Amino acid sequence: MTTPKTSTGQTPFCLVYGTEVILPTEIISPIARYGLATTETNFVERARDLDMIDEVRDMVKLRMASHQQAVARSYNKNVHIITLAIGDLVLRKVFQNTMDTTAGKLGDTWEGPYLVNDIVGRGAYKLSTLDRIQIPRS
């Protein structure tokens, strides 16, 4: 609650209530941050915080968009697009619902080889066995 998030630069409490959180221990043992505060200065600062909350939230939106772009750039830099052509041989990943239940942990994780018959969409292909038998829902 009191730690600013990396993506927003603000604490969740500040985004909801428009001011920084004051912990009970900070009230009991006076520190320089709150030791000189009076009721009048508190009202003035609270009014200023409430006036500025829309600007703070707008800045948070910009910072979140920038952070999301940086994360996407970092992720996409390691993604390598592989395009397959009709006639290529591929292996298909074995999922838990298609895995042989008696294989145990040393069971196969890939099955095939399969032949690419048709390009259905971006990264989607129709597969068949080497004997040209169509694989359903491939």
Side-chain angles (χ1 to χ4, degrees):
M1 272 306 238
T2 61
T3 305
K5 302 297 177 195
T6 305
S7 59
T8 61
Q10 297 289 329
T11 63
F13 188 89
C14 177
L15 292 177
V16 173
Y17 297 107
T19 185
E20 291 298 325
V21 65
I22 300 174
L23 299 175
T25 56
E26 294 175 344
I27 294 173
I28 293 171
S29 61
I31 57 174
R33 181 174 164 189
Y34 302 110
L36 302 175
T38 63
T39 306
E40 294 80 23
T41 59
N42 187 33
F43 285 132
V44 170
E45 287 186 25
R46 178 71 177 142
R48 183 183 54 82
D49 287 344
L50 290 176
D51 288 340
M52 295 291 293
I53 189 64
D54 291 331
E55 288 83 4
V56 168
R57 288 179 179 159
D58 289 339
M59 291 300 294
V60 165
K61 286 180 186 175
L62 290 174
R63 185 174 170 136
M64 282 179 58
S66 172
H67 181 69
Q68 287 174 346
Q69 288 175 351
V71 168
R73 258 193 321 273
S74 172
Y75 174 78
N76 291 335
K77 128 176 113 173
N78 295 323
V79 173
H80 303 289
I81 298 174
I82 299 173
T83 55
L84 300 174
I86 295 175
D88 285 350
L89 293 175
V90 295
L91 295 175
R92 186 169 75 164
K93 185 163 179 58
V94 175
F95 293 103
Q96 190 170 6
N97 61 343
T98 60
M99 185 181 295
D100 182 17
T101 57
T102 61
K105 68 178 183 179
L106 298 178
D108 294 333
T109 55
W110 298 95
E111 63 183 8
Y114 294 108
L115 194 62
V116 175
N117 276 352
D118 190 21
I119 301 172
V120 179
R122 190 173 176 185
Y125 305 96
K126 292 234 183 232
L127 302 178
S128 67
T129 62
L130 297 178
D131 299 331
R132 304 282 184 195
I133 299 171
Q134 189 75 22
I135 303 294
R137 296 177 303 280
S138 62

